[in-house]
Amino acid sequence: MSRLLKMCFLLISMNHAEITHSQNSEDLPPLLHKAVEEVIAGKYLNALLDILYFQSSNVWTADLLTKVMAYFHAQEVMFTLSSLEMSIKSYLKNLLYQPRQLLSELQQLDHHQFQTAMKYLFNSKKEHLEVGNIILDWGKTREIIFQSPGVNRTLFLVTLDKCFLVLSALDCVDILSQVLRVSAVNYLQPDVIGSLPNLLLEDAFRNLSSLFKDLYDRTSASTQRALYGWMKQILQKSYNMSEFNESTSWVSAESLWILGRYMVHLPLEEILKISLNEIRLFISYDNATKQLDTVYDITPELAQALLERINSSGFDMRNTSTIYRLGLLVCFYDELEQMDAAVARTLLHQMIKCNQLRGFQAEVHELKSQLLNIALQNQTLNDTLGSLSDAVVGLTSSQLESLSPEAVHHAVATLNQVSGWAKSQVMILSSKYLSYEKVLSFYNMSQMGALVTGIGTQSLHSMNPRELAQIIRGTMSQYLSDLSPAQQQGILRKIAASGDFSSSVKDIQGAFFKEVSLSGLWNLTGYNSSMLKEKELRSSQALYLYELLSKENYPVDLLSTGQLVKGVTCQVIESMDTDMFLSNFKFFEMNLHLLSPYQVNCLAWKFWEVSNTSIPPFLLLPLPSEYLEYISGPSCVPFLERLGKTGMNLLNPSHHKRDAVLQKVQECLNSSIADEYDVDLLGNLICHLPPAFLHGRMSLKAMAAALHQFKLCQQLNHEQKTEIKYKLLQLYGSSNNWTAETTLDVGPFIALLSKEELNVLTVKFPDIILQIARTVGPVSSAEELLSAVFQSVSSSTGSVPWSLSRADCLKTRAPSSNEIIKLGEANVFWSVQELKCMDPGTFDKNVELLGTVSGFNSSQLTALKEKAKQVWGLLPDWRSYQIISLGRIALALTDQEITELDLHSIDTVAVLSQQTEWTPTQARAILQGFLDDSGQTISTLKSFDLVGLGAVLCALNSTEITSIRTAEFSAAIARIGLLFCTTPVLRQFKKMTESVFGAATSWNGSVLQEIGTIAGGLNEDELKAFDKSLMPYFQPSAVRHIPPEIFQALSPEQIANLGPENAAMVTGSQRERLDVSQLQSLGLALDGARSSSTGTQSTAGSLQEGQTPAESSAPCLSGFGIWLCAVFTLHLPF
């Protein structure tokens, strides 16, 4: 470390006293003498803590400072100002950039020093701290310390190592609580649990146990098991072991309360030995229900063992009070014989929480179905609907259709609280409710709650505008974001037509505001920055509103809204003077996730221009690759730390640039990931590291800490996954020997194992494998795993359900509801014949789930479509909710079959249009079917019809597109701009767009953002006419849709100004048409070169020799203040 404290003492003396030469150590107080000796010995952190401790009960005087300096002089300790500057930088680097070194320093502190460090870090309420005569911003500094993952880990480890020996156990538990809440999953590894104290006073043990219960979901399965072992060890010590024998258990009621969620780790045999009296005490405890409500990962075997002990302890298991106390144990209730309907309804009411279980949903579904049958004994569904809780989700469409409107009306208070409804079910219930109410009003909708999503778009559009305005303003607004885009557009279009659009739109909150069209915003008045704070904005809206509001508002007022940063152009950033830019930079930094890569690039260039020596290192990433050379030494840590939190995807570097960035990352890591500190620093950067680096440069210690982070990675390639598998097998050994906890922790990476390895795990831990398989996605990414799951589920079925419904189904296995629910995406392995032989009732119950399986091939989809025809009858008789429930199965409908469907409802068509695999002729059939059945022509379509038709609009011909009414097209244009239509269709949409926004050559950035892919329909002359400053405002999807022969018309200047994100979207066929100068320009855009529209190109060589970014300090006063000012202001890059 540095010679910092030597400098401190020198500067203090320079400020306060003259140096004399006649002092010796006897003139100094003992503690101060100790601090002086520590300075001389190089123990600078120790000395600083001793000074803080000394001044807590002593006052500095000029005489005292003179004595200190005289002592130094006598020891021949000399200083220079240049060495002071070096010492400051060295100190900061060691404190914040080298947490391993900090750990070593902290471990060597004596008791008083450690107490002082813990006091100022964790227990000090002071926002400011006085050291000598200097006042420090201690609150801000602590915040920075706690935001550093490496420093946090150091504080955690040193607390475990020293705290319980020095401070009171309660204080140490409080400190651990503060540190662990930052990142428990990373710090609490199984090997660390062994460092926890095993002798604790009762209050401290209870508090620490309570902390671990709060952190349960944020820790790995192996850590949970280790923490259970630690708690068990302490609890057993409190048990009178003299009374222990093999037939009795150490587990008392109090033990169960303390264990909380960790009780799920009790062995089955231990539960069966728990004293009935202790069980009785536990269940009688008021908080038992709350505790049992949280055992989300309990297994059926443990749950039923607990139920058996509760039953044996004297509780009446059919008593309402008892059932209420069982928590999630009710999900495994198995005493159904001779149960009366009232008990069944009570159980169903409690089972509403069962969807929180980690698995076993098929079993829960089956139990609910059995209880539902009991609850309906001697009563009709109409009579009992309101008392069935969320079991109503298990009702088939035909059962829901049989309900009377009166029954739905009376039960709506229950129905509107139920989660898990399928879209088809909500449609039926909404229709029933509204047929009773007759008129759709604000009051009626407020009673429906989540069921409002089933109201037809046309019905919403037909409402009184004043009622709709109430919905936007009132408590119903929370459900607006759940409506489909067509439904949202139906509401907006009606309000817009009412003449009260301005006042109503201002009340729209959240994501719903994004549906307001740009042309709609043009017609509104009375904007102010405060009204935008609760709204989400599209980029086109933000660009328009920022420009509009900037005429009467300061940048700070606009940027502080958050979403408006999307509308800041490079010209705006460039026009800011230095002070304004630096003072407003925090708003950009806080909202980095809202900025486009182009905006980030502009920010980086501006920062480089105004203060290249203090530019945050992560902002060098969007600049050309050569600027990465300035990341080294002290700037490496903030670069990695910030990039690990922000992610590379935001900055969207091109492939060659990504390689350069990753090379710099490896350099900053000294070409290895040595331990958990490196993993902390990397954050999600670890997802981008090359396979070879993972293979040869990552230690097993680091791998153990990195597993959780790897599981969060979204786009690991096959080679990376292969290396991760290699590391996991090194870390945990052969998968044949894995424990349940290891298997859970490995999670989705089990899909990398061989078929043989998977079969072993599936036999050992079938429920865990089933649980993991539900999270792995489509069959293409985990075929072996899903195949193993299919084999396991289908072979575990007790009696094979041979289908007897058809002659050709004799001896053919038919899928059951239980299997379909368990399998999820693994349903893809049913043969066509097995699907054909499915029981009609099974199909009717599970059609919605089957419609979500992404891996079904055309033959399987056709078999399911034919099953639908068998179950529902002739195609013209199919109801809208049935068509909607088909999902991907609808893709098997032929053009002729589509024309037979009743497609009068835009809501039906809107669901069909969400499928992305329609052929052009199928899409045309859907469009024609809607027009014919709704009695409309293209010219009568409303904006919500256009939005609902979605991708089906790509089937329109030129004549039809020109007949769309301009006002309706204008309101839907942003949604139409999301479609990937053919070039001829985009060209016609472009012509329509000109009727809204004027000639293409007059479009500005907000218009280009609004119209999206429609810009792909521009012709050569129109594209060439765009000013180069507008090129970044083409949406990336639009760039891809510009035909190569048109794209080549862009000038080199236009291409150079595309911005990094748009440049990365240029296709291979577009690139082939470019000449050398155009390709050079494309390379500049990809690399983040400064666009000529925003200022003069700066050079990377403008840093002074030897400087690296973010190393310069703010101006500080002379004397002791130089060090202190530097220590507490040089955090700015972070």
Side-chain angles (χ1 to χ4, degrees):
M1 286 182 69
S2 71
R3 295 182 295 170
L4 176 63
L5 291 190
K6 298 179 185 179
M7 316 310 168
C8 294
F9 285 120
L10 170 64
L11 291 166
I12 291 170
S13 67
M14 289 167 63
N15 288 338
H16 295 283
E18 292 294 325
I19 300 176
T20 64
H21 307 287
S22 59
Q23 307 296 328
N24 58 58
S25 63
E26 293 177 3
D27 296 323
L28 293 174
L31 188 59
L32 203 52
H33 175 244
K34 177 171 176 276
V36 171
E37 290 294 341
E38 284 166 335
V39 170
I40 295 171
K43 298 181 177 180
Y44 309 116
L45 179 60
N46 306 56
L48 182 58
L49 291 168
D50 278 336
I51 292 169
L52 287 171
Y53 185 62
F54 170 80
Q55 73 175 30
S56 65
S57 56
N58 295 277
V59 178
W60 285 99
T61 64
D63 179 61
L64 191 60
L65 293 168
T66 301
K67 291 177 181 179
V68 169
M69 290 313 303
Y71 185 78
F72 272 129
H73 184 83
Q75 301 299 316
E76 298 184 352
V77 178
M78 301 297 177
F79 314 101
T80 67
L81 287 177
S82 61
S83 65
L84 170 63
E85 183 182 357
M86 293 288 290
S87 297
I88 293 168
K89 292 178 181 178
S90 176
Y91 180 81
L92 282 173
K93 185 173 68 174
N94 279 282
L95 183 64
L96 294 177
Y97 296 166
Q98 296 187 21
R100 298 176 188 85
Q101 177 67 25
L102 178 62
L103 176 62
S104 175
E105 296 280 337
L106 290 172
Q107 285 173 332
Q108 295 175 44
L109 300 179
D110 65 30
H111 285 193
H112 282 305
Q113 292 163 344
F114 186 80
Q115 283 178 321
T116 303
M118 294 297 104
K119 170 188 170 184
Y120 282 102
L121 280 169
F122 296 103
N123 297 325
S124 174
K125 302 294 183 185
K126 295 181 179 179
E127 288 300 311
H128 297 88
L129 186 66
E130 294 183 15
V131 180
N133 66 329
I134 306 298
I135 298 176
L136 315 171
D137 185 355
W138 181 237
K140 181 65 176 176
T141 303
R142 285 203 317 166
E143 181 185 333
I144 294 159
I145 288 171
F146 290 135
Q147 285 176 353
S148 167
V151 174
N152 251 316
R153 183 181 289 279
T154 283
L155 294 175
F156 169 68
L157 293 174
V158 82
T159 301
L160 278 186
D161 185 43
K162 291 182 70 78
C163 189
F164 289 94
L165 301 173
V166 177
L167 303 181
S168 77
L170 282 173
D171 286 341
C172 295
V173 170
D174 182 57
I175 291 169
L176 281 176
S177 176
Q178 291 184 57
V179 177
L180 283 174
R181 292 187 193 282
V182 177
S183 186
V185 72
N186 290 337
Y187 303 158
L188 274 179
Q189 294 292 331
D191 59 325
V192 173
I193 309 303
S195 303
L196 291 172
N198 52 22
L199 288 172
L200 280 176
L201 295 175
E202 184 176 349
D203 284 350
F205 173 62
R206 284 179 178 273
N207 288 0
L208 194 50
S209 299
S210 179
L211 168 64
F212 292 146
K213 284 185 279 190
D214 290 344
L215 298 175
Y216 189 93
D217 287 323
R218 292 172 53 193
T219 53
S220 67
S222 298
T223 296
Q224 289 164 4
R225 170 64 74 174
L227 284 169
Y228 160 76
W230 172 79
M231 294 165 77
K232 171 188 171 185
Q233 182 184 15
I234 294 179
L235 288 169
Q236 281 184 324
K237 286 179 181 176
S238 65
Y239 178 78
N240 189 347
M241 297 304 288
S242 62
E243 300 175 10
F244 178 79
N245 61 62
E246 289 187 6
S247 63
T248 61
S249 172
W250 58 269
V251 180
S252 64
E254 186 178 28
S255 299
L256 289 171
W257 298 330
I258 292 172
L259 283 170
R261 293 184 60 180
Y262 290 90
M263 66 186 289
V264 301
H265 296 281
L266 285 165
L268 181 63
E269 56 273 17
E270 196 68 60
I271 289 173
L272 294 173
K273 292 193 297 183
I274 299 174
S275 156
L276 296 179
N277 188 48
E278 296 296 336
I279 285 285
R280 194 180 305 110
L281 277 173
F282 173 67
I283 296 298
S284 300
Y285 180 54
D286 287 341
N287 273 354
T289 305
K290 184 178 177 182
Q291 181 168 321
L292 291 172
D293 275 346
T294 63
V295 287
Y296 310 124
D297 49 348
I298 197 166
T299 62
E301 294 77 20
L302 289 183
Q304 282 159 5
L306 282 166
L307 287 170
E308 186 275 322
R309 297 305 282 169
I310 295 167
N311 185 27
S312 299
S313 69
F315 283 95
D316 179 358
M317 300 300 282
R318 298 192 176 182
N319 178 278
T320 300
S321 175
T322 303
I323 291 171
Y324 283 163
R325 289 178 174 275
L326 296 178
L328 290 176
L329 299 184
V330 296
C331 309
F332 305 96
Y333 198 97
D334 58 355
E335 295 289 333
L336 303 186
E337 289 184 16
Q338 298 181 333
M339 179 180 290
D340 63 44
V343 175
R345 286 194 292 273
T346 301
L347 282 165
L348 286 172
H349 180 73
Q350 288 300 101
M351 289 185 74
I352 197 167
K353 59 189 80 167
C354 294
N355 59 1
Q356 298 176 75
L357 287 172
R358 294 288 153 80
F360 313 108
Q361 289 304 314
E363 291 80 0
V364 168
H365 183 83
E366 194 169 326
L367 176 57
K368 284 182 180 178
S369 181
Q370 293 171 333
L371 290 170
L372 189 60
N373 290 334
I374 297 171
L376 292 175
Q377 283 176 359
N378 303 319
Q379 297 184 73
T380 67
L381 189 55
N382 282 326
D383 294 333
T384 57
L385 184 62
S387 61
L388 300 179
S389 192
D390 73 336
V392 290
V393 172
L395 296 172
T396 63
S397 297
S398 55
Q399 285 176 304
L400 293 175
E401 272 285 13
S402 71
L403 292 169
S404 68
E406 292 84 359
V408 175
H409 175 264
H410 293 313
V412 74
T414 300
L415 301 175
N416 68 15
Q417 297 178 47
V418 171
S419 60
W421 290 114
K423 176 73 173 173
S424 57
Q425 293 176 309
V426 173
M427 286 179 66
I428 296 170
L429 290 170
S430 296
S431 175
K432 294 279 183 186
Y433 178 76
L434 295 175
S435 67
Y436 177 87
E437 295 291 347
K438 304 297 190 262
V439 178
L440 183 56
S441 67
F442 167 70
Y443 173 77
N444 294 337
M445 286 184 66
S446 66
Q447 299 301 300
M448 294 175 71
L451 295 180
V452 296
T453 58
I455 301 174
T457 296
Q458 188 62 56
S459 297
L460 290 169
H461 183 70
S462 301
M463 282 183 71
N464 184 307
R466 289 191 298 277
E467 301 268 359
L468 285 173
Q470 274 187 283
I471 291 167
I472 288 172
R473 295 187 184 103
T475 55
M476 284 299 296
S477 61
Q478 64 182 302
Y479 299 109
L480 292 178
S481 60
D482 296 327
L483 299 178
S484 71
Q487 289 171 311
Q488 293 176 336
Q489 185 62 221
I491 292 173
L492 287 174
R493 203 74 187 111
K494 186 58 174 277
I495 295 175
S498 71
D500 188 32
F501 198 37
S502 287
S503 61
S504 297
V505 164
K506 291 169 189 173
D507 292 318
I508 296 175
Q509 302 298 318
F512 188 22
F513 190 82
K514 294 170 80 171
E515 295 301 321
V516 179
S517 68
L518 179 62
S519 57
L521 290 182
W522 285 2
N523 298 323
L524 303 182
T525 56
Y527 290 111
N528 61 67
S529 58
S530 61
M531 64 173 271
L532 296 173
K533 287 191 175 178
E534 301 299 322
K535 296 172 172 46
E536 288 185 40
L537 304 178
R538 296 196 315 278
S539 293
S540 59
Q541 295 171 319
L543 282 162
Y544 167 69
L545 290 170
Y546 190 95
E547 183 180 8
L548 179 71
L549 292 170
S550 63
K551 296 168 185 174
E552 298 179 2
N553 292 270
Y554 292 108
V556 64
D557 297 321
L558 303 182
L559 296 175
S560 62
T561 64
Q563 290 278 322
L564 271 179
V565 299
K566 295 178 182 177
V568 180
T569 64
C570 278
Q571 287 81 357
V572 168
I573 294 171
E574 189 65 29
S575 67
M576 291 181 179
D577 63 34
T578 298
D579 289 341
M580 179 182 288
F581 176 77
L582 292 176
S583 63
N584 286 312
F585 179 71
K586 62 185 176 184
F587 297 115
F588 293 115
E589 196 169 24
M590 285 163 50
N591 295 293
L592 210 56
H593 61 288
L594 299 178
L595 301 178
S596 70
Y598 178 64
Q599 287 175 300
V600 176
N601 180 258
C602 296
L603 275 179
W605 278 120
K606 180 64 176 180
F607 214 125
W608 181 266
E609 174 192 316
V610 303
S611 186
N612 61 19
T613 57
S614 64
I615 185 171
F618 79 92
L619 274 186
L620 294 172
L621 180 59
L623 299 181
S625 301
E626 61 265 26
Y627 285 76
L628 292 172
E629 294 303 316
Y630 293 95
I631 299 172
S632 63
S635 60
C636 258
V637 172
F639 169 70
L640 293 177
E641 192 173 292
R642 186 53 192 266
L643 201 55
K645 292 175 181 175
T646 306
M648 295 222 314
N649 293 336
L650 170 72
L651 303 167
N652 198 39
S654 61
H655 286 301
H656 89 277
K657 191 169 182 182
R658 181 180 295 257
D659 291 342
V661 171
L662 290 176
Q663 185 58 45
K664 176 58 64 176
V665 168
Q666 293 171 54
E667 286 176 22
C668 282
L669 289 169
N670 292 322
S671 299
S672 71
I673 308 176
D675 56 21
E676 60 271 35
Y677 279 106
D678 288 339
V679 174
D680 291 341
L681 193 58
L682 280 169
N684 66 28
L685 266 181
I686 206 165
C687 305
H688 303 280
L689 293 174
F693 190 74
L694 296 177
H695 177 81
R697 301 291 183 171
M698 186 175 193
S699 72
L700 292 183
K701 186 177 183 182
M703 182 63 204
L707 178 55
H708 172 73
Q709 189 64 53
F710 277 130
K711 285 159 73 174
L712 299 177
C713 298
Q714 298 293 314
Q715 294 178 315
L716 292 171
N717 61 39
H718 176 72
E719 290 75 18
Q720 286 174 307
K721 290 178 180 178
T722 300
E723 293 306 334
I724 291 170
K725 172 191 170 182
Y726 170 77
K727 287 292 181 187
L728 288 171
L729 292 175
Q730 275 189 311
L731 184 64
Y732 295 124
S734 167
S735 60
N736 294 343
N737 301 322
W738 287 0
T739 63
E741 288 76 27
T742 300
T743 307
L744 274 169
D745 289 341
V746 172
F749 291 119
I750 64 169
L752 305 173
L753 299 174
S754 68
K755 186 173 183 179
E756 293 71 25
E757 290 170 320
L758 282 167
N759 286 337
V760 172
L761 287 176
T762 305
V763 171
K764 284 172 68 176
F765 312 117
D767 295 325
I768 291 174
I769 301 302
L770 202 58
Q771 180 183 330
I772 294 171
R774 303 285 293 189
T775 68
V776 296
V779 68
S780 58
S781 63
E783 184 170 357
E784 293 290 3
L785 172 59
L786 294 176
S787 174
V789 165
F790 181 81
Q791 292 300 324
S792 172
V793 170
S794 55
S795 64
S796 66
T797 305
S799 56
V800 179
W802 303 113
S803 176
L804 303 175
S805 58
R806 294 166 38 164
D808 61 344
C809 287
L810 290 173
K811 298 297 183 182
T812 298
R813 175 194 184 79
S816 68
S817 283
N818 187 284
E819 290 170 320
I820 291 169
I821 293 169
K822 282 185 176 181
L823 289 171
E825 194 65 28
N827 278 296
V828 74
F829 291 100
W830 293 112
S831 70
V832 170
Q833 184 63 18
E834 286 167 335
L835 293 173
K836 284 181 179 178
C837 296
M838 190 188 308
D839 179 77
T842 301
F843 175 83
D844 202 27
K845 280 183 181 179
N846 298 288
V847 59
E848 208 111 16
L849 195 157
L850 292 167
T852 65
V853 177
S854 64
F856 278 142
N857 61 36
S858 58
S859 300
Q860 290 169 310
L861 293 174
T862 299
L864 291 168
K865 176 199 70 175
E866 292 301 323
K867 180 60 64 175
K869 291 162 76 172
Q870 177 194 339
V871 176
W872 296 337
L874 298 173
L875 290 167
D877 297 330
W878 285 11
R879 307 289 295 274
S880 287
Y881 66 80
Q882 291 171 324
I883 299 170
I884 280 174
S885 68
L886 286 171
R888 287 191 70 246
I889 299 170
L891 294 169
L893 292 164
T894 65
D895 302 352
Q896 178 57 40
E897 287 171 330
I898 290 171
T899 62
E900 294 180 45
L901 297 174
D902 178 3
L903 297 179
H904 77 279
S905 166
I906 188 58
D907 300 293
T908 306
V909 176
V911 173
L912 290 177
S913 71
Q914 290 171 9
Q915 298 298 331
T916 58
E917 301 164 76
W918 296 112
T919 65
T921 56
Q922 282 177 310
R924 182 71 207 184
I926 293 171
L927 173 65
Q928 199 59 53
F930 171 66
L931 294 173
D932 293 344
D933 294 341
S934 65
Q936 296 199 75
T937 63
I938 300 295
S939 62
T940 64
L941 293 178
K942 301 278 199 308
S943 61
F944 55 81
D945 293 319
L946 297 173
V947 170
L949 283 165
V952 172
L953 288 174
C954 294
L956 289 167
N957 60 42
S958 299
T959 305
E960 290 170 330
I961 291 174
T962 56
S963 66
I964 298 173
R965 282 182 290 176
T966 302
E968 306 304 327
F969 183 83
S970 172
I973 198 167
R975 283 280 167 187
I976 295 172
L978 298 175
L979 305 179
F980 297 161
C981 301
T982 60
T983 300
V985 174
L986 291 178
R987 283 177 179 157
Q988 285 304 126
F989 281 149
K990 187 266 300 182
K991 290 179 181 177
M992 283 297 299
T993 301
E994 290 185 301
S995 67
V996 178
F997 295 121
T1001 51
S1002 69
W1003 294 348
N1004 60 20
S1006 60
V1007 171
L1008 284 171
Q1009 281 288 300
E1010 178 82 350
I1011 66 174
T1013 56
I1014 295 173
L1018 292 162
N1019 64 37
E1020 184 175 326
D1021 291 334
E1022 291 165 336
L1023 197 59
K1024 284 163 59 178
F1026 275 103
D1027 187 88
K1028 58 191 175 186
S1029 66
L1030 289 174
M1031 298 312 294
Y1033 298 101
F1034 281 82
Q1035 285 201 21
S1037 56
V1039 173
R1040 292 187 73 86
H1041 277 80
I1042 300 173
E1045 65 275 14
I1046 304 295
F1047 187 81
Q1048 69 178 349
L1050 288 170
S1051 69
E1053 290 77 17
Q1054 285 176 308
I1055 293 174
N1057 281 270
L1058 277 171
E1061 186 176 22
N1062 283 345
M1065 297 301 284
V1066 174
T1067 66
S1069 55
Q1070 289 171 329
R1071 189 187 289 262
E1072 287 172 4
R1073 298 279 191 130
L1074 302 181
D1075 62 27
V1076 173
S1077 63
Q1078 287 173 313
L1079 287 171
Q1080 271 186 324
S1081 294
L1082 183 61
L1084 290 172
L1086 283 167
D1087 207 27
R1090 190 168 199 166
S1091 57
S1092 56
S1093 63
T1094 58
T1096 308
Q1097 177 82 37
S1098 294
T1099 63
S1102 58
L1103 274 176
Q1104 294 177 15
E1105 184 76 25
Q1107 267 190 311
T1108 58
E1111 280 195 88
S1112 67
S1113 62
C1116 295
L1117 299 174
S1118 62
F1120 190 32
I1122 292 178
W1123 167 65
L1124 294 170
C1125 178
V1127 170
F1128 292 96
T1129 61
L1130 279 190
H1131 60 258
L1132 284 174
F1134 309 99

